[in-house]
Amino acid sequence: SQQGEEDPQALSIQEGENATMNCSYKTSINNLQWYRQNSGRGLVHLILIRSNEREKHSGRLRVTLDTSKKSSSLLITASRAADTASYFCATDAGYQFYFGTGTSLTVIP
Amino acid sequence: EAGVVQSPRYKIIEKKQPVAFWCNPISGHNTLYWYLQNLGQGPELLIRYENEEAVDDSQLPKDRFSAERLKGVDSTLKIQPAELGDSAVYLCASSLEQRVTGELFFGEGSRLTVL
């Protein structure tokens, strides 16, 4: 069973627009990570936010974490065609990583 | 620095046949994971190793799946016999962290098709 759920399941935007995807989880966590997966490839780590952090930035990525609502959001600003991929959140409850179901992002040139 | 290497990338077999997947983690990474990823889903843990010890294999279907990590480096995941429902991508990942907190580095995966 998977702990996290991403929302929306699929997202299609024009190049240059911002993309926001959300992750909800069920139990208390130590940290939350976001990964990207291009079609037919492995997952690539994007960013990690710890449970005592509320916001983190990395380049065009902005991640927020609300532990009271058990949710996180990933914002990709000024999207590019190369951002087309599936995005997964992964929560660490201390024993293993739980991956969400993923958001499929399509950026139209 | 080489990343996590998996082979084969693709494997097509008939049901009831055996299959094995191999993973070479990043040098120095003591923690190794095998994940199963079904189409349109996120990865689900099969087994986690700390060095050569399997510290979490609760999700591994032990009636047909087995894994080993000899000498705490390379790892092999085996399915015998394979069933139709085993068609999926098998991902290997490694981590520098020994506790479950750090970044995971994934291989490209081994896509299994069972006919």
Side-chain angles (χ1 to χ4, degrees):
Chain A
S1 62
Q2 293 176 314
Q3 168 168 235
E5 274 194 25
E6 281 88 345
D7 171 58
Q9 284 190 324
L11 179 62
S12 184
I13 59 174
Q14 295 289 330
E15 199 166 32
E17 293 181 338
N18 295 341
T20 299
M21 52 204 84
N22 305 295
C23 168
S24 59
Y25 56 91
K26 299 175 183 174
T27 63
S28 297
I29 61 171
N30 296 317
N31 65 58
L32 185 144
Q33 303 182 45
W34 284 90
Y35 287 80
R36 183 188 74 232
Q37 185 177 35
N38 291 87
S39 181
R41 308 295 294 273
L43 283 77
V44 175
H45 180 265
L46 294 176
I47 194 166
L48 179 152
I49 186 166
R50 302 196 185 282
S51 59
N52 61 354
E53 298 176 311
R54 292 297 169 258
E55 187 171 313
K56 202 162 183 179
H57 297 254
S58 177
R60 295 185 295 113
L61 305 180
R62 172 178 169 254
V63 170
T64 62
L65 179 64
D66 187 334
T67 53
S68 67
K69 295 181 179 179
K70 292 186 170 60
S71 67
S72 173
S73 67
L74 171 67
L75 168 67
I76 304 174
T77 60
S79 64
R80 306 166 181 169
D83 294 328
T84 294
S86 291
Y87 292 81
F88 296 90
C89 66
T91 54
D92 150 34
Y95 297 99
Q96 64 167 283
F97 291 101
Y98 291 94
F99 285 85
T101 51
T103 291
S104 177
L105 173 66
T106 301
V107 181
I108 303 166
Chain B
E1 180 181 291
V4 177
V5 180
Q6 290 189 245
S7 69
R9 284 295 315 278
Y10 304 93
K11 189 73 175 179
I12 301 174
I13 61 173
E14 295 193 347
K15 62 181 180 181
K16 300 185 181 180
Q17 293 298 306
V19 64
F21 305 112
W22 175 80
C23 173
N24 180 239
I26 293 174
S27 178
H29 283 197
N30 295 322
T31 306
L32 184 146
Y33 303 78
W34 282 102
Y35 282 92
L36 166 71
Q37 186 177 27
N38 287 304
L39 187 64
Q41 299 293 313
E44 297 184 49
L45 180 69
L46 289 172
I47 191 168
R48 174 168 67 97
Y49 282 94
E50 298 287 355
N51 298 305
E52 62 273 9
E53 181 184 1
V55 296
D56 185 353
D57 63 355
S58 58
Q59 306 300 316
L60 189 72
K62 299 181 183 64
D63 57 336
R64 298 183 300 106
F65 287 65
S66 65
E68 61 181 10
R69 191 183 184 197
L70 299 176
K71 300 181 182 179
V73 181
D74 294 3
S75 178
T76 302
L77 177 70
K78 298 178 181 178
I79 308 174
Q80 182 170 12
E83 297 179 352
L84 295 176
D86 296 331
S87 294
V89 176
Y90 293 83
L91 293 164
C92 179
S94 69
S95 173
L96 185 61
E97 302 282 343
Q98 287 213 336
R99 293 179 56 230
V100 183
T101 58
E103 172 185 349
L104 297 183
F105 294 81
F106 282 85
E108 299 282 56
S110 294
R111 181 178 296 275
L112 174 65
T113 301
V114 182
L115 303 176

